[in-house]
Amino acid sequence: MYSQGLINADGSTHEDEAFLEAFQERIDREEKIEPNDPMPEGYRRTLVRQISQHAHSEIIGMQPEGNWITRAPSLKRKAALLAKVQDEGGHGLYLYAAAETLGVTREELVEQLLQGKAKYSSIFTYPTLSWADIGAIGWLVDGAAIMNQVPLCRCSFGPYARAMIRVCKEESFHQRQGYEIMLTLCNGTPEQKAMAQDALDRWWWPSLMMFGPHDSESQHGDQNMAWKIKRFTNDALRQKFVDATVPQAEFLGLKVPDPDLAWNEEKGGYDIGPIDWDEFRSVLKSGGFCGRDRIRNRRRAEEDGAWVREAAAAFAEKQATRQADAAAA
Ligand SMILES: [Fe+2]
Ligand SMILES: [Fe+2]
């Protein structure tokens, strides 16, 4: 599956068992791998794939919530939501920068997204139907993101690990602002509480799907664990999320939409009912309910922003000419 070539500084590659062993030893010693260090081609490719998908998810993830900025119910909510959506844009940018250290350009990655060729998390193709969805996304989607991302702060690749430290601090604010929206709705009128329940009903299962397929079905799991790109399996992270979130739902007085949900004393965690992977696969296949809109909006934003990039480039060129003239004078 993975080509295990070694890339030399001049771009040539070759297979070398001793190198691969030495690389694994560095990983086992918990040394951080930095961009200029030699690394197996499979390691580099896995990281480019994972970091770029992560970056695209942050950028596309701005849309479902951006949809509610103009309709936030108060100035305070609007300010918090605006800050959150801007944070997500920032996360995308750190991550594109981390991917660039592996030899791809941001332009290439953005182009793949605009052409609809790049993958991003399917959760962001679901529509946001009510204000309560903004609460549910912060609470559940950012909550699931935290579970996935906290272990990435210890990822073996230095730039990714360091980007994740700041990202996780911001995600924790996102999760709290979402939960606080849910709490306010749940302490409000019966209609508001019903809205919160409806949002939980629609976002619960897609949030569990964010952890990816079960370990038994996961393709790259073992190698990524060995390289310490991943620290916990999909199922272990999903379990942590369920165990942390169910008591929060109880505190809100909401019902998790899973008739099979039950505390398992023996494992010290909750058992959940079967996940509808057909839905997951059909979202991946069709591009999801809002998938086409998400890409169309991104393309429009790229076109609308073209003048800014052109103006910045023209200004930089003018500055350079002036500096050159001044130096010559
Ligand atoms: Fe984020
Ligand atoms: Fe977030």
Side-chain angles (χ1 to χ4, degrees):
M1 188 91 216
Y2 290 93
S3 88
Q4 302 207 306
L6 164 62
I7 307 186
N8 300 314
D10 65 0
S12 63
T13 59
H14 65 267
E15 294 280 325
D16 185 332
E17 271 307 311
F19 163 74
L20 291 173
E21 258 169 47
F23 181 78
Q24 189 60 47
E25 278 165 20
R26 286 193 66 192
I27 301 267
D28 294 342
R29 283 197 301 269
E30 299 287 331
E31 272 177 41
K32 287 277 179 266
I33 307 300
E34 297 298 337
N36 291 331
D37 294 349
M39 63 184 78
E41 176 63 4
Y43 179 83
R44 192 188 70 85
R45 254 190 252 158
T46 300
L47 279 164
V48 169
R49 187 181 60 224
Q50 181 170 333
I51 299 173
S52 63
Q53 286 178 8
H54 191 167
H56 298 322
S57 301
E58 301 280 359
I59 297 294
I60 294 293
M62 295 169 79
Q63 291 186 40
E65 290 175 288
N67 183 30
W68 280 88
I69 290 172
T70 53
R71 289 176 287 165
S74 71
L75 187 60
K76 189 186 107 187
R77 294 290 186 208
K78 186 171 175 146
L81 181 58
L82 200 54
K84 185 213 190 258
V85 172
Q86 283 179 334
D87 283 353
E88 306 300 9
H91 298 172
L93 299 185
Y94 311 148
L95 289 164
Y96 284 130
E100 282 192 303
T101 67
L102 290 161
V104 281
T105 67
R106 186 153 115 194
E107 288 73 17
E108 278 171 76
L109 297 174
V110 168
E111 193 52 34
Q112 287 166 6
L113 179 64
L114 295 177
Q115 289 189 4
K117 288 183 192 157
K119 287 188 186 156
Y120 57 89
S121 179
S122 58
I123 191 93
F124 299 118
T125 66
Y126 287 81
T128 38
L129 304 179
S130 78
W131 173 250
D133 286 22
I134 302 307
I137 289 179
W139 173 34
L140 302 172
V141 177
D142 291 86
I146 293 171
M147 286 297 172
N148 267 322
Q149 289 171 188
V150 165
L152 288 174
C153 298
R154 294 191 296 122
C155 163
S156 57
F157 185 57
Y160 195 25
R162 290 189 289 271
M164 279 305 115
I165 293 171
R166 175 157 170 194
V167 166
C168 283
K169 284 183 186 155
E170 292 175 348
E171 294 303 352
S172 133
F173 149 66
H174 301 168
Q175 204 259 356
R176 279 186 227 169
Q177 69 89 38
Y179 191 70
E180 215 258 328
I181 290 173
M182 294 302 271
L183 195 58
T184 306
L185 290 171
C186 290
N187 288 328
T189 63
E191 287 82 0
Q192 285 173 316
K193 187 153 186 186
M195 229 165 87
Q197 181 65 57
D198 170 61
L200 172 58
D201 291 347
R202 283 179 293 106
W203 290 94
W204 175 255
W205 291 106
S207 301
L208 296 190
M209 293 175 197
M210 282 176 72
F211 295 94
H214 288 305
D215 299 344
S216 50
E217 316 270 315
S218 180
Q219 287 174 4
H220 308 298
D222 293 348
Q223 180 62 80
N224 290 354
M225 295 280 278
W227 276 333
K228 297 190 179 170
I229 293 172
K230 216 172 156 57
R231 295 275 179 169
F232 297 97
T233 68
N234 294 353
D235 285 330
L237 290 168
R238 189 165 18 240
Q239 182 71 50
K240 268 175 173 244
F241 174 75
V242 170
D243 294 342
T245 311
V246 169
Q248 294 168 352
E250 280 167 4
F251 185 79
L252 293 172
L254 297 178
K255 198 172 170 339
V256 172
D258 178 356
D260 298 322
L261 184 76
W263 178 255
N264 181 330
E265 191 62 51
E266 211 173 298
K267 77 173 178 187
Y270 287 91
D271 289 331
I272 59 168
I275 294 175
D276 182 1
W277 293 110
D278 286 343
E279 175 186 323
F280 183 71
R281 277 187 289 269
S282 94
V283 168
L284 288 188
K285 206 167 158 211
S286 68
F289 192 78
C290 298
R292 230 174 271 166
D293 287 351
R294 303 287 186 242
I295 297 301
R296 200 182 49 214
N297 290 340
R298 192 86 276 294
R299 273 196 211 126
R300 197 186 305 137
E302 184 76 8
E303 284 161 19
D304 288 351
W307 72 271
V308 179
R309 294 189 297 277
E310 284 159 17
F315 181 73
E317 205 178 312
K318 202 161 104 183
Q319 289 281 84
T321 316
R322 273 198 197 145
Q323 274 167 11
D325 289 350

